Amino acid sequence: PTCLVWFKSDLRVRDNPALYAATTFEPGTANINSGMKQIRVGGSATTAAASASNLPVIALFLINVAEWALHDMAPLRADFILRNLECLKHELAQLHIPLIVRVVEPDDAANHIEDRHHPVAAPTAVLEVARRVHARHVFFNREFEVDETRRDKATQHMLEADGRTVHTFQDQCVMDPGSVRTKEGKVYKVYSMFRTTWITHVVRDRMWDKLTPDPRPNPKGACGAGSAVAAYLARWSEVPTQLAGDVLRVDPAQAILARTHFPAGEAEAHARLATFLADRSPMYTTHRDLVAQAGTSSLSPYLSSGILTTRQALHAAMRANNGRIEGGSAGLAKWISELVWREFYRHILVAFPHVCKHQPFKPEYKNVPWLNDPLAFDAWTRGRTGYPIVDAGMRQLNTLGWMHNRCRMITAMFLTKHLLHDWRRGEHYFMQHLIDGDFANNNGGWQWSASSGVDPQPYFRIFNPLLQSQKCDPDGTYIRHWVPELTHLHGKALHNPHAELPAAEFARLGYPTPIVDHKFARQRCLKAFKTALGKM
Ligand code: FAD
């Protein structure tokens, strides 16, 4: 028999509770579903030999194109995942752990389609692999979105019904979702209050310090060279990198750019983290909203695909801050508080699963009379709204698969408030293009921008795109880079060319007139939201 580790959005070997547990699992010991509470700090066990009683470990990753499409996965993100799989395969090979990369065929689900939206192909495929490699024990880290939870549970049931044991773990958050509550046991709906209690728990239980030890290697040849298992492993050992181009339609030029900006691998993620903490974190408070600067960590793709954990990021940041979570370096403390947003949105998702079902977090916002003008949406997606900062942001997204946080807020609010377009269309568009696409953060960010989410400020928070532009791109470097029609402009003309330039000069730019007047749009938005909320 063997142990099978099913990798999903946890494409790393370090701080990976499911992988560690599989490599240290001894048959006959107690069930370890309880999680990793017993684990000490950063034990480096990679060179230790596995005990003779350990079972050989085999790793699995499923490429489920249908599921990826159902969840709007961006081709660049799929490409990023495939690139990281190559790195993971290499890391696992150092541990003598073979990686099966199984492409899920629609046939895998043929006998199980009860619900079109339930990606049942995955459980069937995991079961098939478990049978082929004689895996008596299957290990995986849980995911929290509604579809993913159902998929994980269905997989567990199917495996258990087949006589296998399943061991699952929580690796997505520092604090288990649901564990941070008010004194009355209620779930927090406001970030600042969540953050205070979260910090108390993390410090009290030293959660930031509880990194999972490194996994142990398989003994050499543990997976039976020459056996049927070995033949199966050989058949599914290649990462089908060409899939990104053939099936997922990654634009080759874009892929090259994304590969330069976001190289794959755990080593890259840790190097990025170390460089950010050492060199750029001191300026984080002052530079994080300056969109032309590399003022943020750009670690989001690595966190979203689990190349790096939030706990690793927190651990490193706190070490850099002399063990402090608050106080000390203002930049580090602020950066940690951004990691808490990530945690908060996951806690929200688990406590209020209706946000996974295209519903507003605040139900009273469900009747906003969206205009949903298709031409306006098209102009927004192409970066042709006539508002340079909005257009620059959208073009950055379309080109790189990544957008600065400040511009995500500006563009999202522009779509929902200025164009009165349903936030769900914007949420999907972002997901279809982001290399760091992450349901909880993206949904949280969109709902925050549309005022239907966790922002305690109600609907009347409406960014003025011109003021935002002057604040976050004061010398216009970002706009000039992403909107080449405006490269030669400076000062106010760059931020607002239509209003500032003579008509003839503006006409020569080949740049669109503003799609909507700011003051008019603001009034229209206020009226629409008030009507929907019964305040008119
Ligand atoms: P840093 O400033 O270095 O922050 C470090 C990490 O903290 C980030 O990598 C991220 O994991 C987390 N973080 C920072 N800000 C936020 C935030 N506001 N909410 C949640 N987590 C945060 N983030 C994603 O990872 N995936 C998404 O799909 C996504 N969609 C978004 C959509 C909208 C409309 C908005 C407003 C925000 C969205 N965000 C998303 C959050 C944020 O924009 C990105 O996490 C951030 O820009 C990533 O850059 P960074 O890694 O340099 O961030």
Side-chain angles (χ1 to χ4, degrees):
T2 61
C3 289
L4 183 68
V5 185
W6 177 25
F7 283 84
K8 294 178 286 178
S9 51
D10 52 349
L11 303 180
R12 62 181 186 282
V13 297
R14 294 161 69 183
D15 194 28
N16 188 328
L19 176 64
Y20 172 75
T23 62
T24 51
F25 180 67
E26 292 181 17
T29 53
N31 188 305
I32 49 175
N33 269 350
S34 55
M36 302 303 292
K37 292 198 179 73
Q38 74 283 13
I39 280 170
R40 311 152 284 120
V41 188
S44 179
T46 40
T47 49
S51 113
S53 52
N54 291 135
L55 298 175
V57 175
I58 293 171
L60 165 69
F61 184 83
L62 296 180
I63 296 182
N64 191 345
V65 177
E67 188 185 324
W68 288 4
L70 191 70
H71 292 161
D72 291 321
M73 188 191 285
L76 278 183
R77 175 147 189 250
D79 180 60
F80 183 68
I81 288 174
L82 295 180
R83 288 191 280 128
N84 276 287
L85 266 184
E86 279 287 4
C87 299
L88 179 68
K89 182 177 155 184
H90 178 75
E91 294 286 336
L92 289 169
Q94 311 280 312
L95 301 166
H96 312 298
I97 297 175
L99 172 67
I100 297 174
V101 183
R102 171 86 155 70
V103 179
V104 177
E105 309 293 345
D107 283 357
D108 286 321
N111 301 320
H112 300 276
I113 295 176
E114 295 138 14
D115 172 352
R116 196 168 69 77
H117 292 296
H118 185 180
V120 284
T124 319
V126 177
L127 177 61
E128 193 244 2
V129 173
R131 284 180 177 163
R132 294 289 196 127
V133 302
H134 308 304
R136 200 164 283 166
H137 307 275
V138 180
F139 298 72
F140 60 82
N141 297 312
R142 294 186 295 275
E143 291 182 353
F144 294 115
E145 297 85 352
V146 166
D147 278 350
E148 281 75 356
T149 304
R150 291 170 72 193
R151 176 202 60 197
D152 287 357
K153 284 192 174 152
T155 307
Q156 177 159 2
H157 289 153
M158 226 181 249
L159 289 164
E160 285 173 351
D162 202 50
R164 289 156 221 282
T165 54
V166 176
H167 311 271
T168 72
F169 302 86
Q170 195 289 99
D171 75 325
Q172 300 241 331
C173 293
V174 177
M175 295 299 303
D176 285 354
S179 64
V180 180
R181 290 176 181 266
T182 65
K183 285 199 182 85
E184 296 74 39
K186 293 202 177 119
V187 176
Y188 286 106
K189 294 184 179 178
V190 175
Y191 162 80
S192 53
M193 321 248 264
F194 172 85
R195 182 172 154 270
T196 306
T197 306
W198 185 90
I199 287 179
T200 312
H201 287 355
V202 167
V203 172
R204 185 195 63 200
D205 300 338
R206 289 186 72 86
M207 293 307 292
W208 59 280
D209 220 1
K210 293 190 171 148
L211 295 177
T212 315
D214 290 348
R216 293 195 197 158
N218 271 341
K220 272 191 188 151
C223 295
S227 67
V229 171
Y232 186 77
L233 295 178
R235 181 175 162 212
W236 291 105
S237 65
E238 291 305 317
V239 177
T241 35
Q242 82 292 350
L243 199 73
D246 295 352
V247 180
L248 304 165
R249 308 249 166 85
V250 182
D251 175 75
Q254 240 192 327
I256 291 170
L257 202 59
R259 284 164 192 222
T260 317
H261 277 84
F262 299 107
E266 266 183 276
E268 169 67 26
H270 286 275
R272 229 166 233 250
L273 175 63
T275 311
F276 171 75
L277 294 177
D279 303 341
R280 306 207 308 279
S281 70
M283 278 93 75
Y284 188 67
T285 37
T286 47
H287 285 44
R288 60 186 290 272
D289 280 330
L290 297 176
V291 293
Q293 308 274 337
T296 66
S297 69
S298 66
L299 277 168
S300 50
Y302 303 88
L303 286 161
S304 297
S305 290
I307 322 300
L308 184 77
T309 61
T310 314
R311 188 168 41 203
Q312 287 172 319
L314 176 68
H315 180 81
M318 284 183 68
R319 284 184 63 158
N321 204 22
N322 297 321
R324 300 179 72 163
I325 200 164
E326 288 183 295
S329 149
L332 287 169
K334 181 71 187 156
W335 193 67
I336 290 172
S337 73
E338 294 304 313
L339 294 176
V340 185
W341 270 107
R342 182 181 175 76
E343 293 266 304
F344 180 51
Y345 282 140
R346 268 162 185 71
H347 284 245
I348 289 284
L349 181 98
V350 171
F352 306 99
H354 66 274
V355 300
C356 288
K357 297 175 186 164
H358 316 297
Q359 294 303 314
F361 172 73
K362 294 181 191 146
E364 63 270 28
Y365 280 78
K366 70 172 185 286
N367 294 323
V368 177
W370 305 113
L371 291 175
N372 292 340
D373 172 2
L375 290 179
F377 185 73
D378 183 60
W380 178 81
T381 60
R382 290 190 299 122
R384 302 275 302 162
T385 65
Y387 282 85
I389 192 68
V390 174
D391 295 341
M394 293 308 292
R395 294 184 199 188
Q396 182 181 31
L397 173 67
N398 292 337
T399 309
L400 263 191
W402 190 88
M403 197 200 293
H404 191 284
N405 177 59
R406 177 58 38 181
C407 284
R408 292 189 206 207
M409 289 158 72
I410 296 171
T411 53
M413 209 172 270
F414 188 84
L415 183 74
T416 53
K417 304 266 172 83
H418 285 76
L419 302 182
L420 263 188
H421 214 94
D422 191 332
W423 56 270
R424 285 162 280 222
R425 289 291 306 282
E427 181 196 9
H428 288 168
Y429 187 83
F430 265 34
M431 206 62 182
Q432 286 160 350
H433 291 81
L434 281 172
I435 194 166
D436 65 12
D438 173 287
F439 183 86
N441 285 2
N442 193 39
N443 182 273
W446 273 95
Q447 296 228 37
W448 187 94
S449 306
S451 297
S452 63
V454 294
D455 186 2
Q457 274 258 30
Y459 58 92
F460 43 74
R461 191 202 289 271
I462 302 174
F463 282 178
N464 177 335
L466 299 177
L467 293 182
Q468 288 289 324
S469 185
Q470 285 161 359
K471 267 197 216 160
C472 73
D473 191 24
D475 63 3
T477 309
Y478 180 79
I479 295 177
R480 269 195 295 278
H481 181 81
W482 292 108
V483 189
E485 303 96 294
L486 310 180
T487 307
H488 60 285
L489 299 180
H490 292 274
K492 283 186 175 173
L494 180 66
H495 296 286
N496 194 4
H498 182 255
E500 299 291 335
L501 294 179
E505 198 182 326
F506 179 79
R508 280 198 296 277
L509 295 175
Y511 184 69
T513 49
I515 192 166
V516 69
D517 172 69
H518 168 65
K519 277 195 188 135
F520 163 81
R522 190 170 182 282
Q523 290 310 322
R524 181 175 68 178
C525 171
L526 289 173
K527 199 169 157 206
F529 275 69
K530 275 187 194 162
T531 310
L533 295 167
K535 291 185 190 294
M536 284 293 271

